């Protein structure tokens, strides 16, 4: 099935130096949809805390055994499919795993947990259904498949890294994998002497500056085999470096056309990394569905359970938009940080050009409005980037979250940010007027052609009839006030208004006529 991966496929995607399956009482064909880190304190939380794949960080063997005993008393639905731990070797753990039907996976002691979590989430986000491998880079190729394809074509072992040298994907290894490759996949830095030599040779500088494939010779003294490397650079816009593709030579020489393969792979990897960076995570998709951004038919209780938030009780939604021209997604981490500090169970996601924060269990809009104003101010102070926000609170229950997001969008669409934080109640006049004007603008039959005639008159005669009419109406027909605003004599304005009435063929003394003209001019 598209967008799913089995436990077997997940473990296959990870290097054998990173994880090893100890036992799987229920087999490895089950579909994996979520992965999370848990520490010892998390093991004492209520049922439903764990994900399909649960990484136990800093947890002792005794903690895990007690947790398995507790899980044995819970429904199967409240148990993870697999547990990954660095203390997986004991008989007691194996017994607990068998009793609960949970797969037990041993993690290498040197593996960095945050890197393992990132790699596993990357597999979940990237896995797609593919046809038979034809040796080409297809449009739906993911980074792991790209690494395997490049390895097949170059006859080497491939690692794809991001701009911080963190491994994003890699191909299968054989016995010829050297220490540098193994340590990189484990999330550890390679031998310091070798990295220093690469810097001295300018390898990293060249990877950042050019699209050339670089041949890095073997270092027999340090036991490092020959490599080819190519930088991954953004296809369009500024030539930002996105990462590097490394190919280690194994027991057989690299293919003669390996350079050409790497140049093509670099372009494909650039598109994939950009797509992955812009694509929402599984959690983000769930939040967006809850907010009504992914169509109807939403099972709210199931989504709430998956997101580990209360399935009942009031809530609040806050939407943020940019004041000015900048990429608002860059501020999403800051909003998430502020929201989490305010409410640990808050959820934040980006949809289009807006950031949304959902706060379960909020019974009053006053506290949310104060937090929003504080967050907007703090973010602007630290980044010099200004946000404006709309608040919908309180919402009776989670079933009203999608409607609340629609309300937030109405407010953001209908206001300009002169008031940084507002609500529909506070901005109803601006919002409704804006929606009425948009309705008129979108229906040709509601537009009055006489306004266009007034504009043509101004263009033909180099006059200021429209400007005079706007000022006159804005001053509620007070000729002296309007004339002062225009810096002309009141009699001049009186003449212009009479001329406007002739051009428009209407009487501005009629209230209906004035209302119609004001609406048309506002468009």
């Amino acid at each position: 099935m598209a967008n799913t991966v089995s436990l077997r496929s997940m473990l296959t995607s990870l290097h054998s130096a990173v994880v090893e399956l100890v036992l799987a009482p229920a087999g490895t064909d089950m579909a994996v949809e979520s992965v999370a880190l848990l520490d010892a304190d998390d093991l004492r939380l209520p049922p439903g805390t764990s994900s399909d794949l649960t990484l136990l960080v800093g947890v002792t063997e005794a903690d895990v055994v007690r947790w398995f005993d507790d899980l044995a008393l819970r429904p199967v639905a409240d148990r993870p499919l697999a547990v990954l731990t660095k203390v997986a070797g004991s008989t007691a753990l194996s017994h607990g795993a068998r009793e609960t039907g949970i797969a037990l996976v041993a993690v290498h002691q040197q593996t960095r947990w945050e890197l393992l979590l990132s790699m596993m989430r990357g597999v979940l986000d990237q896995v797609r259904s593919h046809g038979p491998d034809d040796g080409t880079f297809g449009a739906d190729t993911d980074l792991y498949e790209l690494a395997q394809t490049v390895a097949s074509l170059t006859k080497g072992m491939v690692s794809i890294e991001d701009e911080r040298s963190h491994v994003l994907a890699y191909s299968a290894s054989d016995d010829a994998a050297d220490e540098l490759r193994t340590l990189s996949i484990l999330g550890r830095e390679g031998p310091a002497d070798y990295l220093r030599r690469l810097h001295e040779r300018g390898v990293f500088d060249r990877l950042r500056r050019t699209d050339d494939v670089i041949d890095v010779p073997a270092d027999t003294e340090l036991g490092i085999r020959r490599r080819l490397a190519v930088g991954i650079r953004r296809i369009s816009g500024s030539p930002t470096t996105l990462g590097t593709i490394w190919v280690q030579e194994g027991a057989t020489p690299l293919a003669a056309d390996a350079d050409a393969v790497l140049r093509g792979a670099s372009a494909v990897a650039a598109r994939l990394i950009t797509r992955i960076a812009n694509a929402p995570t599984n959690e983000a998709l769930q939040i967006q569905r809850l907010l009504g951004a992914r169509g109807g038919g939403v099972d709210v209780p199931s989504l709430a359970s998956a997101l580990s938030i209360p399935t009942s009780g009031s809530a609040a939604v806050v939407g943020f938009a940019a004041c000015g021209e900048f990429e608002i997604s860059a501020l999403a981490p800051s909003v998430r940080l502020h929201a989490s500090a305010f409410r640990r169970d808050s959820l934040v996601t980006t949809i289009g050009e807006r950031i949304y924060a959902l706060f379960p269990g909020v019974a009053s809009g006053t506290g949310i409005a104060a937090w929003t104003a504080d967050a907007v101010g703090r973010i602007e102070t630290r980044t010099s980037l200004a946000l404006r926000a709309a608040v919908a609170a309180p919402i009776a229950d989670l079933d009203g979250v999608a409607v609340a997001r629609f309300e937030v969008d109405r407010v953001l669409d209908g206001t300009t940010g002169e008031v940084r934080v507002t609500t529909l109640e506070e901005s109803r006049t601006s919002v409704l007027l804006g929606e009425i004007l948009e309705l008129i603008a979108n229906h040709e039959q509601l537009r009055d052609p006489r306004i266009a005639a007034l504009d043509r008159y101004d263009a033909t005669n180099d006059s200021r009839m429209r400007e005079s009419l706007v000022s006159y109406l804005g001053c509620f027909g007070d000729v002296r006030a309007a004339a002062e605003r225009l810096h002309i004599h009141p009699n001049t304005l009186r003449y212009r208004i009479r001329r406007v009435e002739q051009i428009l063929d209407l009487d501005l003394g009629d209230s209906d006529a004035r209302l119609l003209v004001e609406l048309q001019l506002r468009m």
Side-chain angles (χ1 to χ4, degrees):
M1 182 184 296
N3 299 316
T4 63
V5 57
S6 68
L7 176 60
R8 179 189 296 109
S9 296
M10 174 65 77
L11 297 178
T12 301
S13 297
L14 301 173
H15 195 275
S16 58
V18 177
V19 296
E20 180 183 356
L21 179 65
V22 177
L23 59 92
T28 57
D29 291 330
M30 66 280 284
V32 172
E33 297 181 357
S34 60
V35 57
L37 289 171
L38 296 185
D39 59 23
D41 290 336
D42 294 325
L43 300 187
R44 292 187 285 272
L45 293 176
T49 303
S50 58
S51 296
D52 291 341
L53 299 183
T54 298
L55 283 57
L56 299 181
V57 183
V59 179
T60 66
E61 178 184 322
D63 287 333
V64 183
V65 171
R66 283 193 295 270
W67 190 50
F68 276 150
D69 290 341
D70 181 43
L71 290 175
L73 302 176
R74 299 182 185 180
V76 174
D78 287 339
R79 305 174 191 173
L81 300 177
V83 166
L84 291 84
T85 174
K86 294 183 179 180
V87 293
S90 74
T91 302
L93 283 185
S94 297
H95 174 74
R98 288 193 184 91
E99 289 297 308
T100 55
I102 297 173
L104 184 62
V105 180
V107 178
H108 191 284
Q109 290 295 327
Q110 286 190 298
T111 301
R112 284 167 39 194
W113 284 112
E114 72 277 11
L115 179 64
L116 180 58
L117 177 65
S118 175
M119 292 170 65
M120 297 177 84
R121 284 179 171 169
V123 174
L124 287 176
D125 290 338
Q126 294 174 32
V127 167
R128 298 290 186 271
S129 296
H130 297 299
D133 181 15
D134 60 1
T136 62
F137 305 141
D140 290 330
T141 303
D142 64 37
L143 285 175
Y144 278 92
E145 185 174 353
L146 176 63
Q148 194 60 49
T149 302
V150 173
S152 175
L153 296 175
T154 62
K155 311 303 180 187
M157 288 170 279
V158 177
S159 297
I160 302 176
E161 300 178 355
D162 66 13
E163 72 279 8
R164 297 178 300 277
S165 298
H166 294 162
V167 176
L168 298 174
Y170 48 83
S171 65
S173 297
D174 57 29
D175 293 338
D178 59 20
E179 182 186 13
L180 176 60
R181 176 174 173 81
T182 301
L183 288 175
S184 297
I185 292 173
L186 285 171
R188 301 292 171 180
E189 195 171 76
D193 289 344
Y194 180 69
L195 295 177
R196 187 183 69 253
R197 292 179 192 182
L198 291 183
H199 279 288
E200 290 171 350
R201 295 171 184 169
V203 171
F204 294 117
D205 286 339
R206 290 173 62 193
L207 287 171
R208 285 192 292 268
R209 291 197 316 266
T210 75
D211 296 323
D212 297 339
V213 176
I214 300 172
D215 194 325
V216 184
D219 192 317
T220 53
E221 180 183 344
L222 296 175
I224 306 298
R225 292 177 174 265
R226 177 196 176 206
R227 279 170 167 73
L228 295 181
V230 65
I232 304 169
R233 291 151 62 82
R234 192 182 303 279
I235 298 294
S236 59
S238 59
T240 306
T241 300
L242 301 173
T244 309
I245 302 177
W246 296 88
V247 180
Q248 183 213 307
E249 188 172 69
T252 58
L254 295 175
D257 63 347
D259 284 23
V261 172
L262 278 177
R263 282 192 292 272
S266 172
V268 175
R271 294 189 179 92
L272 289 172
I273 291 173
T274 301
R275 187 178 73 190
I276 292 166
N278 293 335
T281 63
N282 288 339
E283 181 183 80
L285 287 172
Q286 290 175 324
I287 300 171
Q288 291 168 12
R289 289 182 62 202
L290 193 58
L291 289 168
R294 296 278 167 177
V298 176
D299 184 348
V300 172
S302 296
L303 281 177
S305 177
L307 292 166
S308 300
I309 61 175
T311 57
S312 61
S314 57
V317 173
V318 180
F320 298 87
C323 290
E325 297 293 329
F326 63 86
E327 183 61 47
I328 195 171
S329 60
L331 294 182
S334 295
V335 173
R336 184 175 294 109
L337 181 65
H338 284 289
S340 297
F342 178 65
R343 296 275 307 196
R344 292 190 63 182
D345 55 357
S346 63
L347 301 171
V348 175
T349 189
T350 302
I351 303 174
E353 296 301 317
R354 286 173 183 166
I355 299 170
Y356 298 90
L358 170 63
F359 297 93
V362 173
S364 170
T366 305
I368 285 292
W371 170 82
T372 305
D374 181 69
V376 166
R378 287 176 180 270
I379 289 171
E380 182 173 359
T381 299
R382 292 176 181 174
T383 66
S384 298
L385 299 175
L387 290 173
R388 58 192 182 92
V391 177
I395 308 163
D397 52 47
L398 291 182
D399 287 330
V401 165
V403 175
R405 184 184 73 89
F406 175 69
E407 177 181 314
V408 162
D409 283 339
R410 288 180 66 196
V411 176
L412 293 175
D413 289 340
T415 55
T416 61
E418 293 180 5
V419 178
R420 290 295 183 82
V421 179
T422 187
T423 65
L424 178 59
E425 182 177 353
E426 294 168 348
S427 302
R428 198 178 298 275
T429 298
S430 297
V431 171
L432 292 178
L433 181 58
E435 291 173 346
I436 290 169
L437 293 176
E438 182 179 9
L439 178 66
I440 296 172
N442 290 335
H443 291 78
E444 186 69 32
Q445 69 272 23
L446 297 180
R447 299 180 189 177
D448 191 333
R450 292 175 293 187
I451 301 299
L454 185 64
D455 291 334
R456 287 194 299 271
Y457 182 90
D458 276 344
T460 301
N461 298 280
D462 193 24
S463 60
R464 300 167 61 190
M465 296 299 176
R466 182 184 181 120
E467 180 187 15
S468 299
L469 176 59
V470 170
S471 182
Y472 174 75
L473 294 172
C475 291
F476 305 102
D478 186 332
V479 173
R480 291 190 178 278
E484 184 176 349
R485 181 182 294 180
L486 294 168
H487 305 293
I488 60 176
H489 194 278
N491 287 339
T492 302
L493 180 58
R494 290 188 181 95
Y495 165 76
R496 289 181 182 177
I497 295 303
R498 287 196 298 270
R499 189 72 185 99
V500 166
E501 289 178 321
Q502 292 171 359
I503 297 168
L504 297 180
D505 190 24
L506 53 74
D507 177 11
L508 291 176
D510 180 85
S511 59
D512 289 345
R514 289 198 306 274
L515 175 60
L516 174 63
V517 170
E518 283 202 76
L519 286 174
Q520 296 292 323
L521 290 173
R522 286 291 188 98
M523 284 196 301

